[in-house]
Amino acid sequence: DQQVKQNSPSLSVQEGRISILNCDYTNSMFDYFLWYKKYPAEGPTFLISISSIKDKNEDGRFTVFLNKSAKHLSLHIVPSQPGDSAVYFCAANKGGSEKLVFGKGTKLTVNP
Amino acid sequence: SQTIHQWPATLVQPVGSPLSLECTVEGTSNPNLYWYRQAAGRGLQLLFYSVGIGQISSEVPQNLSASRPQDRQFILSSKKLLLSDSGFYLCAWDRDYQPQHFGDGTRLSIL
C-alpha cells in the first residue's frame, strides 16, 4: 500500500517557466510534509516543508501548497533553472517526528 | 554544524559475500538514525531505524541487519549478499522534529 504517491515519474520544462510537481497521500493522519531534491549518486537534500496547519509555504523560488481535503500537495518552482534538474521526492509523516514515508520521486528536467 | 558521513561511496561485491556499511553523525547527540535503499527506478525504501543505542527497528524482512554500537554510529550488515541487494544505500539522521538529513550514499553492486 503506497501511502505517498507521485504519479508523474518525469517532467520536462523550459528554463524560466514554472515547474509544478505533484504528490498525493492516502493516510489522513499525515500532518507534516516535506520535499527533497536528489542529484544522481548523492543523498537527498531537504528543500521545503509544510505542516497541516498551513496551506502554503514559500522559500525563495520554491513554494509548497497543501490541499488537505484533496490529500494533495504540490511544489512550484518559479522560475525554473537548469540546476533544478534532479529527482524530487515528496515525503510525509505524523506529528513531524515519526519515520517518513516517501513517494517514488519525479525526475525534473529543465531545458536551457 | 551537524554532518553525516557514509562509506564506502561505491562497493562491488560477489554474491554470497558479507557486507558492512558504516554511517556516523557528528555535531549532535541522540539522533534518530535510518538506513534506506533506493533500487533502480524506485523510491526510497526504509530498511531500519534506530532511536537509541542498541535499539533497532526493521521495516522489511530481508537478509540485512543493522546495529548501533554507539550513539552516532549506525552499521548495515549482511552475512551473505544476494543479487537483489544491489542498490543505492542511504543513511539519514534527524532529531527534535527537524527534517531528515542524508549522507551521500553507497552504490552497492552485486556480481
Side-chain angles (χ1 to χ4, degrees):
Chain A
D1 176 33
Q2 199 178 349
Q3 298 184 69
V4 177
K5 301 178 183 180
Q6 294 177 256
N7 292 318
S8 297
S10 62
L11 174 68
S12 183
V13 300
Q14 286 299 119
E15 180 178 6
R17 306 295 289 270
I18 184 171
S19 295
I20 300 177
L21 298 121
N22 293 303
C23 178
D24 297 294
Y25 61 97
T26 58
N27 190 334
S28 58
M29 298 298 290
F30 287 152
D31 58 6
Y32 185 58
F33 306 89
L34 306 88
W35 284 94
Y36 283 82
K37 175 180 178 180
K38 183 182 181 301
Y39 293 118
E42 294 184 9
T45 55
F46 169 71
L47 201 55
I48 193 169
S49 63
I50 188 168
S51 74
S52 58
I53 63 173
K54 294 185 175 182
D55 54 18
K56 175 184 175 182
N57 189 25
E58 191 172 353
D59 183 2
R61 297 185 297 113
F62 302 91
T63 303
V64 55
F65 295 91
L66 176 62
N67 182 333
K68 290 185 289 292
S69 61
K71 294 191 180 70
H72 177 83
L73 64 155
S74 60
L75 175 67
H76 293 211
I77 306 174
V78 182
S80 301
Q81 300 173 353
D84 296 329
S85 297
V87 176
Y88 289 78
F89 288 99
C90 171
N93 69 0
K94 292 178 281 187
S97 63
E98 296 195 4
K99 55 186 186 288
L100 289 173
V101 178
F102 283 85
K104 291 189 175 182
T106 296
K107 183 178 182 180
L108 172 66
T109 302
V110 180
N111 301 301
Chain B
S1 65
Q2 302 91 357
T3 56
I4 179 168
H5 302 281
Q6 195 180 333
W7 67 92
T10 59
L11 188 60
V12 180
Q13 292 283 94
V15 170
S17 63
L19 172 73
S20 180
L21 302 180
E22 189 163 342
C23 170
T24 59
V25 180
E26 296 178 357
T28 188
S29 58
N30 302 315
N32 301 316
L33 296 170
Y34 305 84
W35 278 111
Y36 291 87
R37 177 171 58 204
Q38 183 185 16
R42 303 187 67 179
L44 296 174
Q45 181 186 34
L46 179 63
L47 302 175
F48 301 95
Y49 70 97
S50 171
V51 299
I53 296 175
Q55 301 178 61
I56 309 294
S57 296
S58 174
E59 289 293 299
V60 292
Q62 58 210 326
N63 68 321
L64 299 172
S65 62
S67 62
R68 184 170 178 174
Q70 299 180 47
D71 180 46
R72 292 170 292 168
Q73 184 184 28
F74 206 23
I75 298 172
L76 183 69
S77 304
S78 175
K79 292 182 179 179
K80 280 187 176 182
L81 286 167
L82 306 173
L83 282 174
S84 57
D85 292 323
S86 293
F88 192 56
Y89 288 82
L90 289 155
C91 181
W93 76 272
D94 68 14
R95 63 167 292 177
D96 297 338
Y97 298 89
Q98 296 299 308
Q100 281 185 25
H101 299 276
F102 287 81
D104 286 334
T106 295
R107 171 70 60 194
L108 176 63
S109 299
I110 310 299
L111 303 178

